């Protein structure tokens, strides 16, 4: 009987220890997870609503805008000095004058140039320091599309190089003051060459014998 009671007590103690261990394990499962593993960004670290962290919304808005139209000649530049010459292998006309206004830089110049045969213009703006000309160009009025660096000569002509914004693809330019009334030459159009005549289907006439006079042989046949 004593052994039976001791065995019962041991079994009860074992059952109690197992129950306590199970409860401890369950309590561990219900404990809060570490902050780093929750995957939830605290409210004070979140971006405000409507924020465009990567500029995606701005890019979408810009793509949705209608394409910009080519620039047309500015009537205000019609009174500027005109220069006619070449840019690379293209004929161009440039109107370039001093900037005016209370805040204008005394060395500032601006204007536009036009390639022969094109209805649109490209804006230019920059500085003239003595005989040195440095201007930037823009074909839409917003983005820089080229840089010009040149020197003025005593006769008023200016020559130098036009480059892309990264100073690559240099092209020479040579401009001279335009004579009053002179404009860009019209775009030359090569006249089509006449097509060669089709070969005749008629048999060729026999050629006259050598030493013939007036188409008649001067050889005398003996009697």
């Amino acid at each position: 009987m004593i052994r039976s009671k001791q065995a019962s007590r041991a079994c009860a103690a074992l059952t109690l220890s197992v129950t306590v261990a199970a409860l401890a394990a369950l309590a561990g499962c219900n404990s809060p997870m570490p902050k780093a593993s929750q995957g939830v960004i605290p409210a004070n670290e979140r971006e405000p609503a409507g924020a465009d962290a990567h500029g995606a919304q701005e890019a979408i808005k810009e793509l949705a805008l209608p394409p910009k139209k080519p620039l047309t000649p500015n009537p205000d530049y019609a009174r500027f000095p005109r220069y006619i010459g070449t840019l690379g292998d293209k004929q161009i006309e440039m109107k370039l004058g001093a900037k005016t206004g209370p805040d204008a830089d005394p060395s500032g110049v601006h204007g536009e140039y036009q390639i022969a045969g094109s209805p649109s213009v490209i804006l230019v703006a920059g500085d003239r320091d003595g005989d040195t000309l440095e201007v930037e160009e823009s074909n839409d009025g917003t983005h820089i599309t080229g840089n010009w660096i040149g020197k003025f000569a005593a006769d008023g002509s200016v020559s130098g190089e036009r480059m892309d914004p990264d100073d690559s693809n240099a092209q020479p330019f040579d401009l001279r003051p335009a004579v009053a009334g002179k404009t860009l030459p019209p775009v030359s159009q090569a006249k089509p060459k006449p097509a060669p005549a089709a070969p005749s289907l008629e048999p060729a006439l026999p050629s006259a014998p050598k030493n013939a006079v007036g188409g008649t042989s001067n050889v005398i046949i003996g009697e």
Side-chain angles (χ1 to χ4, degrees), residues 17-111:
S17 62
V18 171
T19 302
V20 171
L23 291 174
L26 290 174
C29 292
N30 293 330
S31 61
M33 297 178 66
K35 180 179 178 181
S37 62
Q38 289 180 1
V40 179
I41 302 175
N44 61 345
E45 297 180 9
R46 298 176 187 172
E47 295 178 0
D52 187 13
H54 302 289
Q57 296 298 328
E58 189 65 26
I60 292 173
K61 290 179 182 179
E62 186 172 351
L63 290 174
L65 293 175
K68 294 183 179 180
K69 296 181 179 179
L71 300 175
T72 55
N74 187 340
D76 293 339
Y77 296 158
R79 57 185 175 83
F80 284 175
R82 295 188 307 116
Y83 298 85
I84 290 180
T86 57
L87 170 60
D89 58 354
K90 299 180 179 66
Q91 290 278 341
I92 68 168
E93 177 182 24
M94 179 178 287
K95 298 172 184 175
L96 189 67
K99 291 183 179 180
T100 58
D103 300 328
D105 187 338
S107 63
V109 293
H110 63 163

Side-chain angles (χ1 to χ4, degrees), residues 2 15 22 35 48 52 54 77 85-86 121 129 163 179 188 202 207:
I2 294 175
T15 302
K35 180 179 178 181
D52 187 13
H54 302 289
Y77 296 158
T86 57
V121 298
D129 184 8
M163 296 162 285
V179 178
S188 60
E202 296 293 333
S207 57

